[in-house]
Amino acid sequence: VTASEIVHTARFRVRYAETDQMGVVYHANYLVWCEIGRTELIRSLGPSYASLERDGILLAVSDASLRFHAPARYDDQIAVETRVESVRSRSLTFAYLISREEGESRQRLVSATTTLVALDPSSRPRSLPAAVLALFGNPSPAHHA
Amino acid sequence: VTASEIVHTARFRVRYAETDQMGVVYHANYLVWCEIGRTELIRSLGPSYASLERDGILLAVSDASLRFHAPARYDDQIAVETRVESVRSRSLTFAYLISREEGESRQRLVSATTTLVALDPSSRPRSLPAAVLALFGNPSPAHHA
Amino acid sequence: VTASEIVHTARFRVRYAETDQMGVVYHANYLVWCEIGRTELIRSLGPSYASLERDGILLAVSDASLRFHAPARYDDQIAVETRVESVRSRSLTFAYLISREEGESRQRLVSATTTLVALDPSSRPRSLPAAVLALFGNPSPAHHA
Amino acid sequence: VTASEIVHTARFRVRYAETDQMGVVYHANYLVWCEIGRTELIRSLGPSYASLERDGILLAVSDASLRFHAPARYDDQIAVETRVESVRSRSLTFAYLISREEGESRQRLVSATTTLVALDPSSRPRSLPAAVLALFGNPSPAHHA
């Protein structure tokens, strides 16, 4: 597989705590939902992100960008489609499409990307092990560093 | 001094992120404000809570109770009055009165208490050192355990 | 049915955003989980809480108490068992048991109760309609007011 | 004045609730801090954002981008320097520089921009009134639309 084929959809409902007085989801929460999306994508590939951390591989967000198309509302059924956009020896970029689902229809709410850099438990940059890179569809990281 | 005389007031404004679609502050946030209140109370006594943690003294909430009298709203000026309610060898209880301030007037919003138990960095219960107990107005913890 | 028989279990995983630097779930988040528990309990009875709000019935938390037995951790599988504890003409009390599930085993993490009062869209106290009270197992609210 | 000269610095300490198990501030919280920065910038110009909302002018985030240079930690003293980057008839763009302050020194943590679009209370796009545009240093919005 190549990175571009790796995609996973996470689903959940909007919590009351996530709304604000404009009657919609407070914008910072979409970054939390992106985190759920990539956590579930990683789990779908094999290891959990929790197990990566226990193995000394921390992924810290270094860049994020979000475009807000339409607001989510309380109790909406949300789908976060997460895609591996690029794989480098020390970082991963994910793209997200957050939608509301109602029956068969799906409305686009937010599109986003985040880049995560690999850190060791002392917060120093580190390379991703070959086994981890392979999970994300990159068998030869040296060529992409 | 005795515990009951130790009191400190922290002040800040309500953040937009803290509101919900009812147009008021989401109730869980008052526990965050209690944390700000006791952090600032501890700082006023000498050490910061951050420095206590670096010294291996973690305080974890074991009990909390809150009574909600009136809602806080976005941009309100909030005062959290925190009081040391009781000091034991392994735990501390704080009482909070959260109010809205407008000029000279003050409206009571929430009253709360939390009990915190002392843990070591491995999350095992531990005793509070005499120096810490003394800060909270208790020079002879053995008599109060 | 009577109130005490109404119980519902909601399940989800701990989000990274919910942890704090002690390596466990920040305590205020358990109130958010209680909200998820009662939302799903209400949905299981028929109407969603979102639809109650659209009908002009807002439920605001007036009292909360929590006892923290053991901490939840990132990625834990959580179960929130919510029970209707009492039904009055203008308020409802829910009890919660929050646990970690691992295979067949279940560890108790937090027990809590919250009381919610009924408000109209102008935030004035109101009575719960008979149809709503009946949902919660109370066909004759006048006797319990 | 022109937009580029309008700048304001907000200051506060990191809350425990804002940290995560990596021991640093959870990344979504920086968007909350940006909101504090622009709220305080608007207040420094005259009206509060709360009063703008009461006048029927809602500002909703349509785009956000963040670059994370170094992590904030619990109890750090934070400065959010907010700058008006561009003013259009229906939207405003703000740039933020989030730093840690220690005595005289300041370490850059996060740089960000957000664009906000003006909505009416029914969530329809609207133009910003001339009086509001003038606040942000743009006396002739028609030329910049």
Side-chain angles (χ1 to χ4, degrees), chain A residues 21-22 26-28 31-32 35 38 49 53 58-69 73 119 123, chain D residues 21-22 26-28 31-32 35 38 49 53 58-68 73 119 123:
Chain A
Q21 72 176 36
M22 226 179 262
Y26 184 73
H27 64 287
L31 276 176
V32 179
E35 173 228 305
R38 71 178 170 269
Y49 174 67
E53 277 209 355
L58 284 67
L59 295 173
V61 179
S62 65
D63 282 273
S65 74
L66 303 103
R67 177 153 290 184
F68 303 92
H69 309 290
R73 293 176 191 281
L119 302 178
S123 299
Chain D
Q21 72 176 38
M22 228 179 263
Y26 183 73
H27 64 288
L31 276 177
V32 178
E35 174 227 304
R38 68 176 173 270
Y49 173 67
E53 276 209 356
L58 284 68
L59 295 174
V61 178
S62 66
D63 283 273
S65 74
L66 303 103
R67 179 153 289 185
F68 303 92
R73 292 177 190 279
L119 302 179
S123 298

Side-chain angles (χ1 to χ4, degrees), chain B residues 26 35 53 63-64 66-67, chain C residues 21 26 35 63-64 66-67:
Chain B
Y26 184 73
E35 173 228 303
E53 276 209 356
D63 281 274
L66 304 103
R67 178 152 290 185
Chain C
Q21 72 175 37
Y26 184 74
E35 173 227 306
D63 283 272
L66 303 102
R67 177 152 290 186

Side-chain angles (χ1 to χ4, degrees), chain D residues 12-44:
Chain D
F12 50 85
R13 276 188 190 275
V14 175
R15 302 172 172 189
Y16 206 90
E18 293 171 330
T19 62
D20 67 22
Q21 72 176 38
M22 228 179 263
V24 298
V25 168
Y26 183 73
H27 64 288
N29 289 311
Y30 295 99
L31 276 177
V32 178
W33 296 359
C34 290
E35 174 227 304
I36 295 174
R38 68 176 173 270
T39 294
E40 295 306 322
L41 178 145
I42 294 173
R43 195 192 314 282
S44 76

Side-chain angles (χ1 to χ4, degrees), chain C residues 7-29:
Chain C
V7 57
H8 185 268
T9 302
R11 288 184 169 82
F12 50 85
R13 277 188 190 274
V14 176
R15 301 173 172 189
Y16 206 90
E18 293 170 331
T19 62
D20 67 23
Q21 72 175 37
M22 226 178 263
V24 298
V25 168
Y26 184 74
H27 63 288
N29 289 312

